[in-house]
Amino acid sequence: SAINFLERLCLTWMFFFMMCVAERTYKQRFLFAKLFSHITSARKARKYEIPHFRLKKVENIKIWLSLRSYLKASSDPGRGPQRSVDVVVSSVFLLALSIAFICCAQVLKGHKTFLSAAYNWEFLMWEAALLLFLLRLASLGSETNKKYSNISILLTEQINLYLKMEKKPNKKEQLSLVNNVLKLSTKLLKELDSPFRLYGLTMNPLIYNITRVVILSAVSGVISDLLGFNIRV
């Protein structure tokens, strides 16, 4: 019993250590996205001591898009060390999904005797810890996506260009070209969002579909069993 307890303790420590490393990586991604969103603001750029430039030239827009693409690519799954982090997150998600499915099956089998078994209490503790971790990562991932998909930066630059056209009509043709590039960039950013994201977490398409179908069906079955009438989620 002592050896079994030590083995489970060591495995639990290793598992939660990997989750802490994954959370640290997500915090770094959020920091990069936050600093990137401050590049076009003179006040925030000066505050965080980062380079600053306005999107009033085609060259500047090209640099801005290239930098955004590089930062997002460095945090996407399948690229170097980031792949191991996303494997950890996917493993945690699958484990939480499996535990939730087992708990739902146990409740459907007999919800009155569900809490009488000690292993069900252990399942609930693991599920609560994993859900807290996933909620934390989902929050960081969602905030990171908002920073990269912030269209208001491009809209603000378009307003500034219109104001410059009124002040400098001799440069209207050049400013119109920049404005058209900004409009195309806005449309491009809207099209680049990944369809397989769950609250900011990049998901494998298979996992994404399993989540939508299997676990929601199991949860609807549990709710229907507890309330006494059919509910389809």
Side-chain angles (χ1 to χ4, degrees):
S1 299
I3 294 175
N4 186 23
F5 174 76
L6 290 176
E7 287 179 349
R8 295 173 71 178
L9 183 64
C10 291
L11 290 175
T12 303
W13 179 84
M14 292 173 60
F15 192 78
F16 279 92
F17 175 77
M18 290 189 296
M19 291 196 301
C20 291
V21 172
E23 183 179 2
R24 181 171 177 268
T25 303
Y26 269 70
K27 287 182 179 179
Q28 289 179 345
R29 295 180 184 180
F30 174 69
L31 177 61
F32 294 155
K34 180 180 177 181
L35 295 178
F36 172 75
S37 65
H38 295 339
I39 286 178
T40 55
S41 173
R43 180 179 58 84
K44 293 180 179 179
R46 185 167 55 251
K47 178 182 177 182
Y48 292 96
E49 299 180 352
I50 57 177
H52 162 67
F53 57 88
R54 297 289 299 276
L55 303 181
K56 58 184 180 180
K57 297 180 180 180
V58 177
E59 292 79 7
N60 292 354
I61 299 174
K62 181 179 179 182
I63 293 173
W64 188 82
L65 290 174
S66 300
L67 181 60
R68 180 186 182 276
S69 176
Y70 173 77
L71 291 176
K72 287 209 70 176
S74 63
S75 61
D76 281 344
R79 294 180 178 270
Q82 303 296 338
R83 183 177 183 180
S84 58
V85 173
D86 289 290
V87 167
V88 171
V89 176
S90 298
S91 301
V92 172
F93 186 83
L94 286 176
L95 181 59
L97 193 67
S98 302
I99 294 176
F101 188 80
I102 293 173
C103 291
C104 290
Q106 292 288 337
V107 171
L108 291 175
K109 184 178 180 181
H111 62 269
K112 294 182 178 179
T113 59
F114 175 73
L115 297 178
S116 60
Y119 61 85
N120 285 333
W121 283 99
E122 186 175 358
F123 278 145
L124 290 177
M125 292 174 62
W126 269 93
E127 185 70 11
L130 295 178
L131 286 179
L132 287 175
F133 171 75
L134 288 174
L135 286 174
R136 174 62 176 165
L137 289 190
S139 176
L140 289 171
S142 178
E143 291 298 324
T144 302
N145 288 337
K146 287 181 181 178
K147 296 295 182 182
Y148 283 125
S149 303
N150 190 6
I151 310 298
S152 61
I153 296 175
L154 300 179
L155 296 178
T156 303
E157 295 294 337
Q158 289 184 39
I159 294 174
N160 293 332
L161 286 175
Y162 282 120
L163 296 176
K164 280 190 176 182
M165 287 180 189
E166 295 182 357
K167 293 181 180 179
K168 300 179 180 180
N170 57 327
K171 294 185 178 181
K172 187 175 181 179
E173 184 178 353
Q174 179 182 359
L175 295 176
S176 298
L177 175 62
V178 178
N179 186 47
N180 291 333
V181 176
L182 283 175
K183 289 181 180 179
L184 292 175
S185 301
T186 304
K187 293 181 181 179
L188 178 64
L189 295 185
K190 291 180 180 179
E191 295 291 334
L192 286 179
D193 290 335
S194 174
F196 299 109
R197 286 187 179 273
L198 189 66
Y199 295 103
L201 300 178
T202 303
M203 305 299 298
N204 183 284
L206 179 61
I207 300 176
Y208 184 82
N209 291 324
I210 290 175
T211 303
R212 293 180 56 188
V213 178
V214 178
I215 192 63
L216 291 181
S217 300
V219 171
S220 64
V222 172
I223 296 176
S224 300
D225 184 70
L226 294 176
L227 298 180
F229 54 88
N230 293 329
I231 294 179
R232 179 177 297 178
V233 180

